[in-house]
Structure formats: C-alpha cells, structure tokens
Amino acid sequence: MNLGAENNEIKEQINKLFSSILIEQQKINAIKGPDVGKENLIQTILDDFASDRGATLFFNYLSSGKGHGPFSQLVDGSVKYDLIEGIGVNLLGHSHPLYIKAHLEMATCDTVMCGNLLSYDQARQTTKAILDSVKNSRLKHFWYACSGSLSNDIALKIIWQKKAPKYKIFAFEKAFAGRSVATQDITYNAGYREGMLKTIPVTHVPHYDYTDPEGTLDKTLRALNDAWNAEPDAYAALMMELVQGEAGFIYGTKEYYSAIFKWAKEKGLYVWVDEVQSFARTHQLFAFQMFGLDEYVDVVTIGKVAQVCGAIYTDELNPKKGLIAGTFNGSMVALDTARKTLRYLQEGNFYGPKGRIAELESIFINKLKYLANNSCKGKIGYIGGVGTMISFEVGDSTLDLTNAFIKNLFNNGVIAFSAGKNPARVRFLLPLSLTDHHIDEIFKIIDTTVHQTIS
Ligand SMILES: Cc1ncc(COP(=O)(O)O)c(C=O)c1O
C-alpha cells in the first residue's frame, strides 16, 4: 500500500533526491583529522552543551549528519570509524540507501510521529514483519514502546497481570535491563539506582561463567533452587539477556539455556528474554533462535537495531485492555525503516554459519588473537563475543585504563565503548558495512593504540 502525497513528479523528485543525497554521503569514505582552524570547535560547542545538560559527554563527538558505511563525520570535518553506532543502533552503517529511501518516502506523509490511537499502515506492516520473523515460536503479538526500557516495562506488566500476586523476578548478575523505574531494579549495577526506592523484587543469580564451563550450570541452578525453596510462591518469571551486552558480551551455550529455561517452565515461570541489544546481531535474527530456544520463550523485547522498540509475546500473555498503551508507536521514518531493515537482513546473506555476521565475528576474533599472541603480547587479555558484538580486555582491565584506551582509540580514528567493570572490556557493536580493507586499517589503529596506552 502506498502512503502519503503521491504523483509522478513527487516520485521523480524522490528518485533524484535519493541519488543526490547518496552521492554526497558516499564522499565520506576515509578517516581524517579535523579541518584546519576547526581543531577546538567541538570542544567549544560541547562545553556549552554539557553546561546545558548539566553533564559532560564521554566523547568529543558531535556528528555533522554526514557519514557513510562505517564512517561518521564530525562537525569539525574529522571522520572516524564508528564501531559502536550510538550503542548499537546503526547495524547497516551510516546513510544506508534504505535509510535515505525511508526518510524521503515518509516525508510525503502528513505526520512525523505515528500515534497509537489513529494508526498508519507503516505500524501495521512493521508489526506483521516482526511477527513473521518469530513464526516458529509461540510469540503471537507485538506491542510498540518508545525505548528498550519501556519494552521491558511492557513485558513485566503483562507477566505481573497474569501472575499477581506473585511479583518476584529471577534475573542475572551483571544484567542491564534499562533505567526506567521498573527496570533499574533488574539492572544489576547498584550505582545506576543510587537513592531510588526499590520497586521490584528481584533475585539475581549467576550467568554463564566461561572460566568454569563444567560447573557453571550447576552454580546457576543451585542459586535458582535456593531462592525458589526459600519462597516458592513469590516468583512470576525468569528474565534473561542471552548475550549480556553491558556486561561485555557474556553468553552461554544451548545446553546451559535449555536447562535453565526447562527449570523455569517446571516451576511455572514465564520466560522473558531481553534482546534489546542482541536483536539482529547474532547468527540468527534473534539470539533465542540461534540457541534453539523457540519453544520456551513467552516474551521477547527488542529495540536499537530494530529502529522501533517493543515486546513480542504469546497469546496467553495478551493483557487486559488499558494495561499497556502510550501516545506514540514511533516516528513514521522509524516504522518504515524497521520493516525495510527486517526484509534487508532476512533476504541478504547475513545469518547462518556462513553468513556475513558469523564471518565478521571470526575475522575480528582471529585478528584480536593474532595481536594478543604477537605485537600486543601481555597487553590484550580476554577476547570474545558473538556475531557483531565483540569485546576484549586491555592491560589490567580496569575501567580507568580501558577508558583511556578507548579515548586514545577515538583520537586515532576508531570509536568503541566500554562494557562492564572488574573486568572492564572494550566493546564493538560492528556495522555490516565493514569491508576487509576497513578491517585491516582498524587493526593497525588498534595495534598502535595498545602500545600508546600500555607501556
Ligand atoms: C539488554 C538491554 N536492555 C534494555 C536496554 C534499555 O534500552 P533503552 O536504552 O532504549 O531504554 C538496553 C540498552 O542498552 C540493553 O542493552
């Protein structure tokens, strides 16, 4: 179904604009330093911005709105490799043709944001595409939210409505579920909820321990059983990130997850999987699909790469009217981009053991291992991750040293971010637009930066 103002001239103009914008954006195709005379421009602008927000920004980064593939241009004219993408939003890379097309096509529409009460075909079609992508599971409904945290709020509310007065949740150590009033209690880091009233009863148990693959399942099951035996009538659900993003990509095995989810089902608990960060980034569209867990999941939350946020859930969890609603479904562009992104990812050669995502994972891990065994011996420790989520530890793995490394890496032309603490890890959320040539250049910069940071 077409939507918005439409005639031959508009179509022609859209096509012309599409190629003009793409040609212009494609000029951003190599890293470089700031333009002469603009070396202090970003610092000056950001000092002002920081004063307005009451908090400094981690990076001296202000986008010019120009970028292409893995490259992002800053307002001072400098260009960097963006390997963190606003914490995982731009899997396809900057100014992907599909993004440009969605913007232009949705400019013909009569609104910016799609309301929940009076819907548009973009919301309907995107919901269909999302549900189609989980058709082998028991998930049957999707509801939009305006952030990953609020997607998790939806999951929590629909579970609570079915389980009241059992409100307690099993979650995992090092989890990150967001910062809403509800999710801040599921998020493990107590530093993120200083001075907050505790609103949700949560029991955190250990996640997969890669240093003890033999004993890790027993450790988790023991913690679950201990808590369950102490309060057998208290729990509603088990909530889990299969790949813990903010922890530095901690993840287990199919056997580990199957045993835990089986345990949860035996206890009558709902299984709630948070894929806000992992969606579209593992060897399948969803991590629960990669680990073959379709039969267990009752609710899955998404955000970031999807361009829209929300919860996908079973018919059983469909709540009573009025429990979940809000003004917005998302912007028209985000809704349109979400559907186009899903189709692009599913039709391209990205998933499966031979897909580009598995290939990127193995290239990055092998190259990091090579550095760790050769020029960076003793300076790079842990190396891991799955799909386009790659992490490694530098030096003593303290947050201070890791952040110093990340700042040096930024100044040298590669944007990464940290994850976790004790140990802290350098985190990449890789875009699919990386070529072998880009990767070679990135690794030269990593090598130089390791030596610059760690003597
Ligand atoms: C696993 C996970 N859940 C939830 C969230 C919260 O999403 P948002 O920041 O969009 O509220 C995040 C954000 O990083 C996340 O990684």
Side-chain angles (χ1 to χ4, degrees):
M1 190 185 301
N2 293 325
L3 207 78
E6 204 186 4
N7 62 30
N8 284 342
E9 200 202 328
I10 292 171
K11 271 191 202 148
E12 224 171 87
Q13 298 287 357
I14 284 181
N15 285 338
K16 270 193 200 152
L17 270 172
F18 172 73
S19 30
S20 302
I21 293 170
L22 192 55
I23 287 164
E24 205 53 38
Q25 291 283 24
Q26 278 175 344
K27 291 178 184 164
I28 312 300
N29 58 12
I31 58 169
K32 67 180 273 295
D35 293 340
V36 177
K38 290 190 179 170
E39 293 82 359
N40 299 319
L41 178 70
I42 294 188
Q43 185 68 61
T44 313
I45 299 172
L46 289 189
D47 283 350
D48 182 53
F49 188 23
S51 156
D52 286 347
R53 349 189 286 163
T56 53
L57 289 96
F58 184 81
F59 287 123
N60 258 348
Y61 175 97
L62 196 65
S63 170
S64 70
K66 284 194 207 139
H68 191 65
F71 298 108
S72 168
Q73 189 196 56
L74 283 59
V75 291
D76 61 3
S78 63
V79 177
K80 298 181 189 294
Y81 280 109
D82 179 5
L83 303 191
I84 198 64
E85 316 158 5
I87 316 200
V89 183
N90 279 324
L91 177 64
L92 307 192
H94 290 265
S95 73
H96 192 282
L98 180 159
Y99 295 170
I100 301 173
K101 209 60 196 265
H103 272 102
L104 289 169
E105 287 178 359
M106 289 305 100
T108 66
C109 271
D110 59 347
T111 191
V112 175
M113 298 295 286
C114 176
N116 185 48
L117 179 66
L118 304 179
S119 203
Y120 283 69
D121 207 49
Q122 264 58 26
R124 181 189 71 83
Q125 286 191 49
T126 300
T127 298
K128 259 245 171 303
I130 289 169
L131 290 175
D132 203 46
S133 70
V134 294
K135 58 176 182 286
N136 295 329
S137 71
R138 293 180 296 113
L139 306 170
K140 292 286 171 280
H141 306 289
F142 175 72
W143 196 273
Y144 292 103
C146 282
S147 74
S149 304
L150 294 179
S151 307
N152 281 332
D153 278 15
I154 290 178
L156 182 66
K157 288 180 72 173
I158 62 180
I159 286 168
W160 273 359
Q161 190 170 72
K162 293 288 173 207
K163 286 285 189 179
K166 296 180 182 179
Y167 293 125
K168 212 159 181 172
I169 302 292
F170 281 114
F172 286 79
E173 291 168 9
K174 301 197 175 180
F176 186 84
R179 288 182 170 91
S180 68
V181 172
T183 54
Q184 65 184 353
D185 284 323
I186 297 172
T187 292
Y188 189 64
N189 186 344
Y192 292 161
R193 52 173 179 272
E194 223 181 293
M196 294 293 100
L197 180 71
K198 188 156 179 51
T199 52
I200 307 245
V202 181
T203 299
H204 289 99
V205 298
H207 203 290
Y208 188 81
D209 180 357
Y210 73 95
T211 64
D212 181 20
E214 301 290 312
T216 187
L217 177 61
D218 278 352
K219 209 189 294 172
T220 304
L221 287 177
R222 209 173 316 123
L224 286 168
N225 275 315
D226 287 351
W228 176 267
N229 291 335
E231 292 176 284
D233 295 321
Y235 289 90
L238 179 136
M239 190 282 195
M240 193 171 201
E241 284 165 272
L242 301 176
V243 184
Q244 289 189 312
E246 299 303 300
F249 307 134
I250 292 172
Y251 68 101
T253 60
K254 178 180 167 58
E255 294 67 38
Y256 175 78
Y257 295 123
S258 301
I260 290 169
F261 288 177
K262 223 176 252 167
W263 178 91
K265 287 286 158 196
E266 279 162 17
K267 304 296 185 209
L269 299 172
Y270 286 119
V271 171
W272 161 15
V273 171
D274 178 340
E275 297 235 23
V276 170
Q277 192 157 156
S278 58
F279 171 74
R281 290 192 173 276
T282 65
H283 301 185
Q284 296 293 334
L285 197 59
F286 289 85
F288 80 79
Q289 294 169 335
M290 171 175 153
F291 291 110
L293 304 166
D294 292 70
E295 65 185 289
Y296 300 107
V297 291
D298 295 291
V299 51
V300 176
T301 50
I302 58 169
K304 295 188 188 268
V305 170
Q307 308 296 308
V308 293
C309 300
I312 323 169
Y313 43 88
T314 59
D315 201 36
E316 183 181 325
L317 276 175
N318 202 10
K320 291 184 182 147
K321 267 199 174 8
L323 187 76
I324 51 169
T327 304
F328 296 138
N329 282 168
S331 76
M332 295 299 290
V333 178
L335 288 164
D336 197 53
T337 310
R339 182 178 52 84
K340 288 185 160 92
T341 299
L342 265 173
R343 197 170 67 199
Y344 175 80
L345 289 173
Q346 287 167 318
E347 288 179 1
N349 179 32
F350 297 114
Y351 297 107
K354 295 211 165 96
R356 180 64 178 159
I357 289 181
E359 192 176 51
L360 278 172
E361 170 192 316
S362 107
I363 294 173
F364 266 77
I365 293 207
N366 287 336
K367 281 187 177 280
L368 281 166
K369 281 185 180 161
Y370 184 82
L371 285 186
N373 290 328
N374 292 281
S375 62
C376 299
K377 212 175 182 78
K379 296 179 178 178
I380 292 182
Y382 168 90
I383 294 162
V386 54
T388 57
M389 301 176 279
I390 301 293
S391 66
F392 60 101
E393 292 172 22
V394 287
D396 60 7
S397 317
T398 56
L399 189 57
D400 280 351
L401 181 93
T402 307
N403 279 341
F405 173 81
I406 287 168
K407 294 246 166 114
N408 285 337
L409 199 61
F410 179 86
N411 291 332
N412 294 338
V414 174
I415 314 177
F417 198 46
S418 69
K421 59 175 186 179
N422 303 325
R425 290 179 180 164
V426 181
R427 169 171 44 157
F428 291 144
L429 287 162
L430 304 174
L432 295 174
S433 47
L434 286 169
T435 64
D436 292 351
H437 165 74
H438 298 144
I439 296 170
D440 285 345
E441 187 173 26
I442 287 164
F443 271 87
K444 279 189 194 126
I445 297 170
I446 294 173
D447 194 354
T448 308
T449 311
V450 167
H451 291 102
Q452 179 188 356
T453 314
I454 307 160
S455 49

